[in-house]
Structure formats: structure tokens, C-alpha cells
Amino acid sequence: MAVHGPLAGLDERAGRALAGRGPAWLTELGADLGGMPVALPVLAAAMAYAVWRGRRVQALYAGVAMALVPALVIPLKLLLDRPGPLTDATGFYPSGHTATALVAYCGAALLVHRRALLPVAVVLTVATGTGLVLRGYHWPLDVAGSALLFTGAALMVGAVRGRRSAGRTPRR
């Protein structure tokens, strides 16, 4: 869809119109929120907290989810080989920074069990995607596709876990 589909032309026109908009320092900050040097320490701190609170399995799940980001994103980038905005280079779909932000910040919020942090995690993820598009690093569909891919995967895992948990009888 994003490479040759009916939305590709609209996506590229929108991306070109949005690239370079906004204060450079702010859009760069947003884009950087999805980098491993920023997002990974946030998730690592939440994982350490979860382990300290006796929730080792949940911390392990979060670590596995983060390890799956490059395991899923890199092959898709190679397979789809989409050119990026403002460059002739390819391999821009889906956005790895968006996926990293989504998994790291939402995973951290869930690990520390603070409902108030989930909206913050969403805002950080949206800021990442917005920064990437406004800086001209990604097309809008690169960001949207990544967000949908990883949100969908999280929902499927949650549904499977929910079904398994519902079938168990409580231990005495």
C-alpha cells in the first residue's frame, strides 16, 4: 500500500508539504524520542522496576517486545524498499523510530502500572512520529504503518493472553 498503492501519491504530497515545518529544535527532539539511546533506557528502567516489584515475566515480555522491533522492521524495510523523502535512499517503510517509541514508552507505562502514564506514552509516540515527518525523515504512511503494525501486534498478544488467562482456574 505505502510503496505503490492508491495512498502513495497522497502520502508523498503530504510528506513534501509537511517536511521542514515547525521549529527545527522541537521537531528534531520529537524525532529523537524514538531513537534507541533515548527510548531504551526508559524501558530498561521500567523493566528493572518491574523485576524489583516481583514481575519478572512481564519485564521479560517487554524485553522480548523490544527485541522484536528490529526483527520485524528490518526485514520489512528490505522487502518493501520504499524510497524516503528528501533522499534517493530506500528502506523507509515502516518507521523503526516510531515502533521503538511505541514499544518502549507504552511498555514502560504498562510495567509501572500507572494508568496516568499511558497517555504520556502515547503523546511521546505521537511526538516521535510527528517529528519524523516534519523533519523529512519519513513519509506519513511510514509512521502510521509502523504504529498500526505494532499496536495490532500488541492487541493480538493481549487477546491471546486474555483467552489463556480466562481458561485457567485460580490456584488455592
Side-chain angles (χ1 to χ4, degrees), residues 99-163:
T100 298
L102 182 86
V103 171
Y105 300 130
C106 292
L110 294 172
L111 282 173
V112 299
H113 280 270
R114 300 281 186 255
R115 290 187 191 265
L117 291 180
L118 205 48
V120 173
V122 171
V123 166
L124 291 173
T125 303
V126 169
T128 299
T130 302
L132 291 167
V133 171
L134 295 179
R135 293 299 298 156
Y137 298 150
H138 277 285
W139 301 112
L141 282 181
D142 300 348
V143 170
S146 185
L148 290 173
L149 173 68
F150 282 88
T151 300
L155 291 173
M156 287 188 330
V157 169
V160 169
R161 281 195 66 227
R163 273 192 250 141

Side-chain angles (χ1 to χ4, degrees), residues 83-101:
L86 312 177
T87 181
D88 290 331
T90 60
F92 282 79
Y93 184 92
S95 164
H97 277 68
T98 303
T100 298

Side-chain angles (χ1 to χ4, degrees), residues 41-51 55 59 104 107-109 111-112:
V42 172
L43 182 61
M47 289 170 65
Y49 175 78
V51 167
R55 296 194 326 268
L111 282 173
V112 299

Side-chain angles (χ1 to χ4, degrees), residues 38-98:
V38 178
L40 198 55
V42 172
L43 182 61
M47 289 170 65
Y49 175 78
V51 167
W52 178 66
R53 298 290 302 204
R55 296 194 326 268
R56 289 184 184 97
V57 173
Q58 290 88 345
L60 176 65
Y61 287 157
V64 169
M66 184 53 74
L68 287 174
V69 169
L72 291 172
V73 168
I74 292 170
L76 284 171
K77 284 179 178 278
L78 294 172
L79 177 70
L80 297 173
D81 203 33
R82 184 175 193 201
L86 312 177
T87 181
D88 290 331
T90 60
F92 282 79
Y93 184 92
S95 164
H97 277 68
T98 303

Side-chain angles (χ1 to χ4, degrees), residues 1-9 12 80-83 141:
M1 282 288 293
V3 180
H4 300 293
L7 296 178
E12 291 175 10
L80 297 173
D81 203 33
R82 184 175 193 201
L141 282 181

